Amino acid sequence: AGMEGSGDSSRADWRLAVWTLCSVLLPVLITAWCSFQRSRRQLLIRDIFRKSKHDWHYTDLFGQPSYCCVCAQHILRGAFCGCCGLRVSERCLRKADQRFLCKEIMMRGTAGAPSSMPHHWIRGNVPLCSCCMVCKQQCGTQPKLCDYRCVWCQCTVHDECMVDCLRTEDCTFGEFKDLIIPPYYLSTINQMRKEKRTSYEKVVPYCRKHWMPVMVLANTRSGNNMGETLLGEFKMMLNPVQVFDLSKIAPAKALQLCTWLPCNAVRVLVCGGDGTVGWVLDAIDEMKIKGQEQYIPQVAILPLGTGNDLSNTLGWGAGYAGEVPVEQILRNVMEADGIKLDRWKVQVTNKGYYNLRKPKVFTMNNYFSIGPDALMALNFHAHREKTPSLFSSRIINKAVYFFYGTKDCLVQECKDLNKKVELELDGERIELPSLEGIIVLNIGYWGGGCRLWEGMGDEPYPLARHDDGILEVVGVHGSFHCAQIQVKLANPVRLGQAHTVRLILKSSKMPMQVDGEPWAQGPCTVTITHKTHALMLYHSGEQTDDDDASSLSE
């Protein structure tokens, strides 16, 4: 009996051990199997994305009610095309990729020189509040896959209003026909280039009087990281060939599209900060050197950076956060007026008899400075280089600037600047009062929205413009003085205006910056001279009270 009892106990222990092992292994095996299936599914999806002509993007949750274009079922997650707007469930992705064509950037297999093309209809998921082009009633009101949208002109049609004649009707390209580059135009120009013909004047819409094709150059790394979203929205409205991601293609290469388009007609919308705008303007200067001056475009700005002072000066606002729809942005670009912007050469020559290095040369659009604001920019730049992921918000960026400005108020690292530098304006030596910083301005705004030259506006000051070949030079007493000027509680020390500015740093190392690009500089001579003009676009739509009060100073 004792042996039987011990045998039963042993079997019970084994049974417990087996069940314990199963309870531990089963979740592990299920998790491993799910992980394997998920990885396999992701590999298949990536393979489809890589080979597809659609611009597929995967999403775990659609932002609005969506229906699969293949099975017509309601979907929460799946893929959408950033060019034509197709939405599809994960299991129907391969079928949708094979069944539906995306926007063609260039027509293929066409004889002669076509001057029109039919609508390209996509069924379902039409924009909210869109109206039928036939009956003028609202579309997309039913909770199912219904109604049609043309991916080029954005017209919508009810299922019951869709007739055969609409399927073959020529597309007008809608409201933005003067901004869109039609696929048939690119195919015709491509054929003419192969035949070495350059007389594009009779090609439609080259010959149309008001055609002003727009190119969109977006920096997806700028400021608040909205560039990725904007790329998709502009590809939906325009020909995808007109939209460029500057993290994947350099501006100089993107701008070669201008040589396929009418002379002096192209408009470029730069989505990014002032640094991105400067990068594009440098690429445009390269076009001049290559002898492509007749293809130079005019530049508009959609401000995605932190400071955006150039954008503010040209009427495009202090920062974009998605509050204006893409359609209105394109209207603003169409209506904007052309103006000129001075660009300046900043040459920094190090002192010393044994210095064999070439002078550093920068191009300035906004301002040059030495002193506390350059120190704040240098500290900010150093920390952003270490941890770039923390600096993805405009608010965080400005908070970091505020922290370093407050710190400098206490430490005063740039004091007695007037004893360390000499300043010459058009060859005339300027006696400097006690200062911590000197700022050379080309534009009206500075420091993220402050009208530095104007100050409080309570005393007369010489007029300032960004296209007159003259720079404004001011001094500041420190970070606290800068803060007072920004809230209109103090005036800057106006040192004068000049065509040429020369600044000599006699001793010690000081922070300097050109258009937000800072560095620490030893004894040197800084010479600022006029370089060229840039063709910009000025938006006069939304002026603030400050802009109205000081419009004369621009």
Side-chain angles (χ1 to χ4, degrees), residues 454-514:
E454 176 186 333
M456 295 169 63
D458 61 341
E459 57 187 32
Y461 53 91
L463 295 179
R465 294 178 60 89
H466 46 258
D467 59 355
D468 59 358
I470 298 176
L471 294 165
E472 287 69 50
V473 185
V474 302
V476 292
H477 297 301
S479 295
F480 186 67
H481 185 207
C482 290
Q484 286 181 306
I485 297 170
Q486 287 202 329
V487 295
K488 292 187 176 292
L489 291 177
N491 285 314
V493 181
R494 298 188 185 93
L495 299 173
Q497 294 176 294
H499 297 89
T500 302
V501 176
R502 192 163 177 259
L503 187 144
I504 302 167
L505 179 59
K506 297 181 289 187
S507 61
S508 75
K509 207 169 195 178
M510 294 293 291
M512 295 184 180
Q513 71 154 336
V514 173

Side-chain angles (χ1 to χ4, degrees), residues 344-347 364 367-369 440 471 498-503 514 526-530:
W344 301 82
K345 176 184 174 183
V346 180
Q347 182 170 301
M364 183 184 86
Y367 38 73
F368 163 87
S369 70
V440 182
L471 294 165
H499 297 89
T500 302
V501 176
R502 192 163 177 259
L503 187 144
V514 173
V526 179
T527 307
I528 306 176
T529 54
H530 193 267

Side-chain angles (χ1 to χ4, degrees), residues 147-176:
D147 305 337
Y148 291 85
R149 175 182 62 87
C150 175
V151 299
W152 288 106
C153 65
Q154 310 305 321
C155 287
T156 53
V157 182
H158 288 123
D159 287 335
E160 54 272 22
C161 295
M162 175 61 77
V163 290
D164 290 339
C165 63
L166 280 179
R167 296 183 187 277
T168 57
E169 182 183 76
D170 285 344
C171 181
T172 63
F173 293 94
E175 179 184 359
F176 302 112

Side-chain angles (χ1 to χ4, degrees), residues 213-217 255 258 265-271 280 284 296-301 333 537:
V214 68
M215 294 170 57
V216 179
L217 276 59
L255 288 169
C258 294
V266 182
R267 299 192 165 199
V268 169
L269 176 63
V270 180
C271 306
V280 173
I284 290 174
I296 297 298
Q298 294 176 301
V299 179
I301 306 171
V333 173
L537 289 169

Side-chain angles (χ1 to χ4, degrees), residues 25-329:
L25 285 178
L26 189 61
V28 172
L29 291 172
I30 292 173
T31 303
W33 183 81
C34 290
S35 178
F36 171 75
Q37 290 295 325
R38 190 184 303 112
S39 299
R40 185 168 168 269
R41 191 169 68 246
Q42 287 175 349
L43 283 172
L44 289 172
I45 290 172
R46 276 201 293 266
D47 185 59
I48 294 171
F49 284 10
R50 182 172 54 85
K51 295 178 180 178
S52 177
K53 291 184 179 180
H54 286 275
D55 183 25
W56 292 118
H57 298 273
Y58 188 82
T59 180
D60 286 320
L61 182 66
F62 284 103
Q64 64 185 68
S66 300
Y67 301 89
C68 176
C69 62
V70 176
C71 65
Q73 297 298 309
H74 182 264
I75 51 175
L76 291 176
R77 68 178 185 178
F80 65 93
C81 177
C83 292
C84 66
L86 272 178
R87 299 186 184 187
V88 62
S89 63
E90 194 176 297
R91 65 178 179 273
C92 297
L93 178 59
R94 189 178 293 278
K95 287 182 181 177
D97 191 62
Q98 295 170 350
R99 186 181 301 178
F100 299 103
L101 293 174
C102 192
K103 269 184 170 181
E104 281 190 304
I105 62 173
M106 185 183 296
M107 290 181 71
R108 302 182 187 278
T110 55
S115 58
S116 63
M117 59 183 282
H119 289 288
H120 181 165
W121 297 106
I122 294 289
R123 187 161 185 254
N125 303 305
V126 300
L128 300 175
C129 302
S130 55
C131 292
C132 175
M133 65 183 292
V134 177
C135 69
K136 309 305 179 186
Q137 298 299 310
Q138 189 172 347
C139 286
T141 55
Q142 301 179 58
K144 63 178 184 178
L145 188 78
C146 62
D147 305 337
Y148 291 85
R149 175 182 62 87
C150 175
V151 299
W152 288 106
C153 65
Q154 310 305 321
C155 287
T156 53
V157 182
H158 288 123
D159 287 335
E160 54 272 22
C161 295
M162 175 61 77
V163 290
D164 290 339
C165 63
L166 280 179
R167 296 183 187 277
T168 57
E169 182 183 76
D170 285 344
C171 181
T172 63
F173 293 94
E175 179 184 359
F176 302 112
K177 63 180 182 293
D178 288 333
L179 300 181
I180 295 173
I181 303 175
Y184 57 78
Y185 172 82
L186 291 175
S187 60
T188 303
I189 298 298
N190 186 47
Q191 185 61 37
M192 292 178 71
R193 286 197 159 208
K194 287 179 181 177
E195 297 169 2
K196 296 185 178 179
R197 291 186 289 147
T198 56
S199 54
Y200 304 156
E201 290 78 10
K202 294 182 180 179
V203 180
V204 178
Y206 192 109
C207 58
R208 202 166 66 224
K209 185 178 179 181
H210 299 293
W211 191 44
M212 52 175 81
V214 68
M215 294 170 57
V216 179
L217 276 59
N219 187 351
T220 53
R221 298 188 180 119
S222 281
N224 53 5
N225 292 330
M226 286 201 64
E228 197 74 45
T229 304
L230 286 166
L231 279 173
E233 292 183 2
F234 281 117
K235 283 179 180 178
M236 291 275 285
M237 301 302 300
L238 306 168
N239 189 330
V241 80
Q242 299 173 245
V243 185
F244 299 89
D245 182 352
L246 293 182
S247 66
K248 297 178 181 177
I249 184 170
K253 193 171 182 180
L255 288 169
Q256 288 306 300
L257 179 60
C258 294
T259 62
W260 288 50
L261 301 168
C263 300
N264 306 313
V266 182
R267 299 192 165 199
V268 169
L269 176 63
V270 180
C271 306
D274 288 347
T276 306
V277 178
W279 188 19
V280 173
L281 293 181
D282 287 341
I284 290 174
D285 285 346
E286 289 178 24
M287 292 178 67
K288 296 177 185 177
I289 295 171
K290 291 178 183 177
Q292 298 175 339
E293 195 153 358
Q294 69 271 31
Y295 300 112
I296 297 298
Q298 294 176 301
V299 179
I301 306 171
L302 185 63
L304 302 183
T306 302
N308 304 312
D309 291 305
L310 180 56
S311 169
N312 224 347
T313 299
L314 299 179
W316 297 100
Y320 178 76
E323 68 279 4
V324 180
V326 166
E327 293 87 346
Q328 186 57 48
I329 294 169

